[in-house]
Amino acid sequence: MNAAPLVALVGNPNAGKSALFNALTGARQKVGNYPGVTVERKSGRLVLDDGRPVELVDLPGAYSLDPSSPDEAVTRDVVTGGSEFERRPDALVVVLDAANLDNHLRFALQLIALGLPVVIALNMVDLAERDGLVLDPAVLARELGVPVVPTVAVRRRGLDQLREALAGAVGGGGIRPHPRTLETESVLQRRARNIASAAIISETPAHRWAHWLDSVALHPVMGPLLLVAVLFTMFQAVFTWATVPADAIDAGFAWLQTQIAAALPDGFVRSLLTDGLIAGVGAVLVFLPQILILFLFILVLEASGYMVRAAFLMDRLMAGVGLSGRAFIPLLSSFACAVPGIMATRTIEDEKERLTTILIAPLMTCSARWPVYTLIIGAMIPNMRLAPFIRLQGLVMFGLLAIGIAGAYVAALLLRRTVTKGASSGFMMEMPKYQMPRLGDIVLGLWTRTLIFLKRAGTIIAATTVVLWLLLSFPKLPEGSAVSPVDYSIGGRIGHGIETVVKPIGFNRDIALALLPAMAAREVAVSAIGTVYAIDDKGEGGEARITDKLRGRWTLPTALAFLMWFVFAPQCISTIAVTRRETNGWKWPAFMVGYLFAAAYIMAGITYWLAVFAGL
Amino acid sequence: MDMSLPVRAALTLEKLPRRQRGMVAAIDWTQLADAEARRLRELGFDEGVGVEVLHRAAIGRGPIACRIGRMTVALRRAVAGAIHVAVPAA
Ligand SMILES: Nc1nc2c(ncn2[C@@H]2O[C@H](COP(=O)(O)OP(=O)(O)OP(=O)(O)O)[C@@H](O)[C@H]2O)c(=O)[nH]1
Ligand SMILES: [Mg+2]
């Protein structure tokens, strides 16, 4: 058996392990300027200069081999060979932040003491220089007894030397440190500090601007104002900046529809293509610009180092419901998608707090729900200007997001007093150094997102749309019949069945039809409505835009109730699946679906009847 | 710790004035939960290390951002209250 040697990247959180992993293997793992970006083991392939392949694994950051959260346990298991499914690494690349040696060396000493061949990547030497630190890698290598290679992962500096050192370490010829009995934490800590100060040649205080930034970002008054401004700008931008590219995409699909309609004879294939695929998938693809703008903001926040500052500011508020500022980071990323958000809760130490965060994460309006909001708001709410920069549509959108957040807050409060009761575990977090987000990283991040979105549109969304189209198109309406073709179809009959359940909260047949496929992916609600109307309107000006059709058929109370439903609505299948995986069983996902279903039904009902009584 | 420094006693990190450089004199581990104590150590809190309070979030009881060694760390006030700090007398 001659498997490629296994090498693990280990080190403190935010040391640049994933950046180094990407640089060495050509992978595109997520990097971000805050601790706890990587929460699971990822492996990749690297070829040494002599042609030998190496399996490299990227691990979650950890402060020690004594895990305090689930992500750190992953690292401990891999490094110590504690996991039964995996072999133990043949060598370790210990990644250190050169600007933070005193702290990172302690874990490095602990890792070296394990006795595996070790290579140290002294990463972020550029940041150390920015901070006025000059280091001597040779001193470090001598003190630690292992090779030390200075690197700048994000500029691909030092990679050749690192590969070379790695070749030595996995070749058997490497220096194998003697396993030692572990000293106490405190002794280790002091040794780390001594080694660090020996390795520092000179130090000139710099980083004034970082101090200045923090004096605004963390200020008791200006800090929260800045945070609110950032979040408000983000949501506002998503709603306003996207109109031009979105209209262009919309026009493109309309053109395609007419071209196909002109080229093909009327019939099964043409209807499937224009009413099913293009109407459905097009209705969703229009929202790509919006989603990219949202991701642009999140990526910039993540890369700059502001995330932990925001967590710091939010801690007080979160403490009020028995959570901590740490939960803010997974919750904010749940605005993009709840699935990575729920994964990111692995960094939360306390099990009950983590569970609570998982249970409320779906209440953050994920990007898949934006299309639904945008479509309905765009069609049903007048775009009145209320004040400079504030329009009614934008305000309703913001209101829906706010209701989601408020709902999450209340849910957390209730959960922490009942099913997830427990003492608060506190809040302690390292704040990363500010960095200018790199354009290349952001573009790559957006590109990755685009691919994921297109893939979703081309697979899940297209498939659900086609199935729905089939259900709605058959059986064919007998000649001369007066009922609508949708009502006569199998799908229409199912829709009427569901309608009886959701009629009390003001939902019509179209909504009933959209609810089920929306479980596959939230956006499908939009494409489903698009498909329903495309089929329904055969022959009577069916090319009208979906918004005009909505205006003719929906009342405002129904629209508001539908929006409210989607604030709370049960999650998509992927969210349920990831919850099952992260909580090891069906109990919590079942609970989550149940409580959110109930909340959605009740809130939508209240909205509908209030709106009806208010005469809207 | 450098004992030649005149020391103002009984000051905790919670009460340390902003921008006043101090040094961790002692940590009352008994006031802390095990997990908290461990994380505190891991973030570099140890006797003899330099500390400075950078910011206090919210006027009320929000967390504190402080500089410990070369790192900026956020922690809650209750924990900061267990960290005794020595400052050179003015
Ligand atoms: N200036 C500079 N930035 C770097 C370097 N290496 C990584 N970074 C940045 O530092 C941040 C952290 O990098 P990651 O690779 O995500 O760190 P990690 O060690 O994988 O972090 P966790 O997964 O949270 O443990 C990112 O913003 C990177 O772009 C470097 O050598 N120089
Ligand atoms: Mg990582």
Side-chain angles (χ1 to χ4, degrees):
Chain A
M1 193 34 215
N2 230 340
L6 185 68
V7 175
L9 283 162
V10 245
N12 282 43
N14 213 38
K17 298 175 294 298
S18 302
L20 208 53
F21 178 78
N22 289 349
L24 287 169
T25 63
R28 289 178 183 175
Q29 277 309 304
K30 178 169 178 182
V31 301
N33 193 11
Y34 59 94
V37 179
T38 309
V39 293
E40 55 182 346
R41 164 198 200 282
K42 289 281 175 184
S43 93
R45 203 157 252 273
L46 152 80
V47 180
L48 294 174
D49 297 333
D50 54 15
R52 270 181 303 161
V54 165
E55 187 187 346
L56 194 65
V57 288
D58 183 23
L59 295 174
Y63 288 100
S64 70
L65 287 174
D66 205 355
S68 36
S69 49
D71 59 332
E72 293 190 351
V74 172
T75 300
R76 194 255 338 254
D77 288 347
V78 170
V79 171
T80 60
S83 159
E84 51 199 294
F85 309 107
E86 295 175 49
R87 53 198 175 118
R88 204 176 171 200
D90 299 293
L92 302 178
V93 175
V94 176
V95 186
L96 301 182
D97 173 357
N100 200 357
L101 268 187
D102 335 27
N103 193 263
H104 286 202
L105 273 174
R106 189 179 37 81
F107 187 30
L109 286 170
Q110 221 186 4
L111 290 166
I112 291 171
L114 289 173
L116 292 170
V118 167
V119 174
I120 301 262
L122 186 61
N123 195 35
M124 302 196 170
V125 282
D126 59 328
L127 283 188
E129 272 164 36
R130 187 185 89 182
D131 285 359
L133 277 178
V134 183
L135 298 165
D136 188 348
V139 172
L140 213 50
R142 194 184 62 223
E143 292 289 328
L144 296 173
V146 296
V148 174
V149 182
T151 58
V152 180
V154 289
R155 300 226 178 82
R156 313 183 62 86
R157 257 163 49 194
L159 297 186
D160 292 340
Q161 293 88 320
L162 188 60
R163 265 193 298 265
E164 208 173 291
L166 206 50
V170 296
I175 326 151
R176 204 182 179 93
H178 294 294
R180 310 165 174 253
T181 46
L182 267 182
E183 291 114 326
T184 67
E185 279 280 306
S186 210
V187 175
L188 220 54
Q189 187 116 340
R190 258 152 241 184
R191 255 187 67 210
R193 285 208 300 274
N194 290 339
I195 297 176
S197 56
I200 293 172
I201 301 172
S202 71
E203 183 173 10
T204 37
H207 51 243
R208 285 262 138 250
W209 60 272
H211 272 289
W212 182 85
L213 265 181
D214 264 346
S215 66
V216 178
L218 301 181
H219 189 273
V221 180
M222 286 188 285
L225 287 180
L226 180 70
L227 179 60
V228 170
V230 166
L231 294 180
F232 188 78
T233 313
M234 170 165 120
F235 293 130
Q236 194 73 18
V238 169
F239 208 61
T240 52
W241 296 1
T243 40
V244 175
D247 286 347
I249 298 179
D250 203 20
F253 276 104
W255 177 83
L256 199 63
Q257 230 163 357
T258 31
Q259 291 300 307
I260 291 179
L264 292 178
D266 198 4
F268 176 81
V269 177
R270 179 170 130 187
S271 174
L272 172 66
L273 283 180
T274 56
D275 305 339
L277 266 182
I278 297 181
V281 175
V284 170
L285 275 186
V286 169
F287 294 97
L288 180 62
Q290 266 197 352
I291 286 161
L292 289 186
I293 292 170
L294 176 70
F295 272 93
L296 173 69
F297 272 86
I298 293 185
L299 284 171
V300 168
L301 288 182
E302 285 181 344
S304 65
Y306 185 69
M307 271 320 214
V308 184
R309 271 79 184 179
F312 172 79
L313 295 171
M314 293 299 291
D315 181 59
R316 181 77 206 294
L317 212 56
M318 309 285 275
V321 290
L323 295 176
S324 82
R326 198 174 258 283
F328 175 77
I329 296 174
L331 289 177
L332 186 69
S333 64
S334 297
F335 276 104
C337 175
V339 173
I342 288 173
M343 298 273 302
T345 62
R346 286 190 186 184
T347 60
I348 298 175
E349 292 160 28
D350 184 76
E351 204 186 321
K352 297 275 175 51
E353 283 190 31
R354 174 165 181 247
L355 188 55
T356 314
T357 313
I358 292 176
L359 291 175
I360 63 171
L363 286 169
M364 305 296 124
T365 307
C366 66
S367 59
R369 266 179 282 175
W370 300 68
V372 183
Y373 289 1
T374 313
L375 177 76
I376 306 295
I377 290 178
M380 305 297 294
I381 308 280
N383 199 14
M384 275 190 299
R385 217 182 99 156
L386 302 175
F389 301 111
I390 300 182
R391 283 171 178 277
L392 186 58
Q393 291 189 341
L395 206 65
V396 171
M397 185 83 176
F398 203 68
L400 291 171
L401 299 176
I403 294 171
I405 296 169
Y409 201 75
V410 173
L413 190 73
L414 296 179
L415 292 170
R416 285 293 271 161
R417 303 208 161 170
T418 53
V419 286
T420 59
K421 193 161 25 200
S424 164
S425 72
F427 172 63
M428 234 185 270
M429 232 180 145
E430 170 184 358
M431 294 197 179
K433 287 180 282 289
Y434 283 112
Q435 291 222 54
M436 197 60 182
R438 268 168 299 273
L439 186 65
D441 286 355
I442 304 283
V443 171
L444 191 68
L446 290 179
W447 176 238
T448 320
R449 254 356 272 188
T450 309
L451 290 182
I452 293 174
F453 185 75
L454 291 179
K455 201 173 144 219
R456 262 167 80 84
T459 54
I460 304 186
I461 297 176
T464 345
T465 313
V466 168
V467 169
L468 189 68
W469 177 85
L470 285 171
L471 286 175
L472 290 175
S473 304
F474 296 99
K476 279 273 175 255
L477 205 55
E479 208 57 50
S481 166
V483 293
S484 99
V486 167
D487 283 337
Y488 193 74
S489 68
I490 306 178
R493 292 171 209 187
I494 298 176
H496 279 297
I498 302 174
E499 195 188 351
T500 52
V501 183
V502 292
K503 197 154 194 141
I505 58 171
F507 286 6
N508 53 28
R509 181 205 66 192
D510 317 334
I511 298 181
L513 272 172
L515 291 184
L516 272 191
M519 293 284 284
R522 296 315 229 337
E523 307 94 323
V524 174
V526 166
S527 56
I529 292 172
T531 309
V532 173
Y533 292 155
I535 296 175
D536 227 5
D537 283 356
K538 268 283 97 105
E540 33 183 296
E543 309 306 323
R545 291 163 55 106
I546 185 169
T547 47
D548 299 324
K549 298 179 185 173
L550 279 174
R551 273 186 210 123
R553 296 165 197 247
W554 288 31
T555 64
L556 190 53
T558 295
L560 292 176
F562 182 66
L563 289 171
M564 191 58 83
W565 171 273
F566 262 82
V567 171
F568 294 92
Q571 317 63 54
C572 63
I573 311 263
S574 334
T575 306
I576 298 171
V578 75
T579 306
R580 197 208 74 85
R581 201 178 78 193
E582 294 297 305
T583 60
N584 298 315
W586 282 110
K587 179 176 154 202
W588 291 110
F591 175 80
M592 181 160 99
V593 171
Y595 104 87
L596 286 171
F597 241 124
Y601 196 86
I602 293 169
M603 291 302 287
I606 292 177
T607 310
Y608 178 72
W609 289 107
L610 278 182
V612 168
F613 287 126
L616 292 178
Chain B
M1 192 178 44
D2 183 359
M3 277 317 208
S4 62
L5 281 176
V7 154
R8 209 189 321 154
L11 186 62
T12 64
L13 188 62
E14 189 190 1
K15 298 275 152 48
L16 184 70
R18 254 191 82 206
R19 296 285 170 195
Q20 161 105 61
R21 275 170 209 273
M23 194 180 267
V24 178
I27 299 175
D28 185 357
W29 301 111
T30 57
Q31 274 191 42
L32 303 168
D34 282 353
E36 246 167 11
R38 189 172 61 221
R39 191 34 46 103
L40 203 61
R41 275 211 187 87
E42 289 171 354
L43 288 173
F45 283 86
D46 190 15
E47 276 139 45
V49 183
V51 281
E52 181 186 344
V53 172
L54 299 177
H55 299 279
R56 295 191 157 85
I59 334 272
R61 311 276 315 156
I64 291 177
C66 62
R67 184 137 203 100
I68 175 91
R70 276 171 225 289
M71 270 206 295
T72 309
V73 170
L75 40 80
R76 286 208 178 142
R77 288 183 195 227
V79 175
I83 301 167
H84 295 270
V85 182
V87 292

